[in-house]
Amino acid sequence: MKKGLFLSVIALLNLMTMNAQVQPVQPKLTDDRSFSMILLPDPQSYTKFDVNQPLFELMTAWTANNKERLNIEAVLCTGDLVEQNEIRIPDGVNGNQTSEEQWKAASQAFARLDNKLPYVVCTGNHDYGYEKAENRLCRLPEYFPSERNSCWRNSLVEVGNNYQGIPTLENAAYEFNTETWGKILVVSLEFAPRDEAIEWAKAVTEKPKYANHKVILLTHSFLTADGKRRLKENYKISPANYGEAIWQKLVYPSKNICLVVCGHECEIAPHKDNVGFSIEKNAAGKDIPQMMFNAQTADGFWHGNGGDGWLRIMEFMPDGQTIKIKTFSPLFAISPTTADKSWRTESYDQFDITIK
């Protein structure tokens, strides 16, 4: 190569580097043979204020941008996409956006993932009723029809009926084929599910074609920060099943549900009081991990910035039984001045889950 041409190539490479976005912290898998799923906690406080909405969109954009780097198979969201499902006059405290504006913001954030990655959302109490679960009216089907994401054509395999008897993504199952973990089925279950929804989920997981699948149950309200399942809650929505009933009717007798993931629990408290974890044996004597993750008050306020951008990277190790959990904030990671705050590494935020 002639010297002049060589220098031109070097100059071009330097120019490309200069024009590339600087991201001080770029997570990577601990094993190149792993794959991951990204867990997004309750986004309601991002969508209820217009100034916060770009923060949730940053999280989904970051996820899409890291599809290859983290070998992302799917994105899970714990529900409460909005603060109020059907409100027309914001009070300025619980948000300054109408419900339509909140749903549009949630939809716009997930649009960053459409046709790039399959995502699984479950419904939370704030996604129902007028403000929060006075009834089972929900606008999720309007903004998240099964046709919106082409990636669902290869992953969405089962859809259950909502309270009106209409099949919607309020109850749905998604299948993922992996080299190291075999087939995984993620079942999304509505908030405080009706008996009919639990029976649907049970019938799905018991189908012979899913008998050897590893099943992950995603539902909004299940576990508290102290690792106990919820017995009841004071919502008007009825009939309803909460954590312990879901465990007894669906998880405990199941032969293939191997992990439960939820959100919902939240206080003005340290991080450790807004996450939870428990392991209990099912009817067959198998250990069933149950993980709760929320971050909407991570900045110390009910009506703050929405959660400091925290999400969880779930790395499925090639041994087929270990999931490494890491808690990460793309918001902090994109600036050199906050990059040192982009990981939460305490034992309750960074740990391994074993599936057998």
Side-chain angles (χ1 to χ4, degrees), residues 100-329:
E100 184 173 2
E101 289 169 327
Q102 293 176 46
W103 278 109
K104 285 181 177 179
S107 179
Q108 181 173 315
F110 280 101
R112 294 284 190 170
L113 304 175
D114 283 337
N115 312 318
K116 297 175 183 176
L117 282 165
Y119 51 88
V120 183
V121 298
C122 66
T123 49
N125 49 298
H126 287 268
D127 300 325
Y128 286 97
Y130 176 66
E131 291 184 346
K132 49 183 179 181
E134 295 88 350
N135 53 56
R136 288 203 178 271
L137 176 66
C138 181
R139 301 187 74 185
L140 182 88
E142 177 183 345
Y143 288 92
F144 292 87
S146 60
E147 301 83 11
R148 70 169 278 164
N149 185 0
S150 63
C151 296
W152 288 336
R153 293 190 181 275
N154 296 321
S155 58
L156 180 62
V157 291
E158 304 279 351
V159 178
N161 292 341
N162 68 3
Y163 79 109
Q164 294 176 306
I166 299 171
T168 74
L169 297 187
E170 293 166 72
N171 297 288
Y174 305 75
E175 182 181 52
F176 304 96
N177 296 304
T178 73
E179 291 184 7
T180 53
W181 279 64
K183 293 183 177 181
I184 295 175
L185 190 72
V186 178
V187 177
S188 177
L189 198 58
E190 67 188 27
F191 169 68
R194 297 158 293 132
D195 282 341
E196 294 90 337
I198 290 179
E199 287 300 320
W200 166 83
K202 187 175 182 179
V204 167
T205 56
E206 289 179 350
K207 286 185 177 182
K209 62 181 177 179
Y210 303 129
N212 296 318
H213 285 49
K214 293 181 173 69
V215 179
I216 299 173
L217 177 65
L218 176 69
T219 193
H220 182 66
S221 174
F222 187 84
L223 201 69
T224 62
D226 59 5
K228 296 180 179 179
R229 290 182 294 273
R230 288 187 172 276
L231 298 176
K232 61 180 181 179
E233 296 193 66
N234 295 321
Y235 295 104
K236 294 180 180 179
I237 196 169
S238 181
N241 289 280
Y242 294 101
E244 184 60 27
I246 298 170
W247 171 266
Q248 295 294 343
K249 296 178 181 181
L250 176 62
V251 182
Y252 180 74
S254 175
K255 295 180 180 179
N256 53 4
I257 295 178
C258 60
L259 174 65
V260 181
V261 177
C262 67
H264 184 55
E265 177 82 356
C266 192
E267 300 291 342
I268 300 296
H271 293 160
K272 66 181 180 65
D273 296 319
N274 288 293
V275 299
F277 187 75
S278 178
I279 298 176
E280 290 190 53
K281 294 186 183 298
N282 67 5
K286 291 178 59 177
D287 288 339
I288 308 300
Q290 303 145 70
M291 179 174 71
M292 185 275 289
F293 176 53
N294 200 355
Q296 69 192 77
T297 59
D299 63 346
F301 299 95
W302 282 114
H303 311 297
N305 71 13
D308 279 347
W310 293 110
L311 52 76
R312 277 188 170 170
I313 301 169
M314 302 170 62
E315 180 178 354
F316 291 70
M317 302 298 291
D319 64 2
Q321 64 179 24
T322 304
I323 306 174
K324 288 190 172 295
I325 303 297
K326 296 181 180 179
T327 306
F328 176 75
S329 170

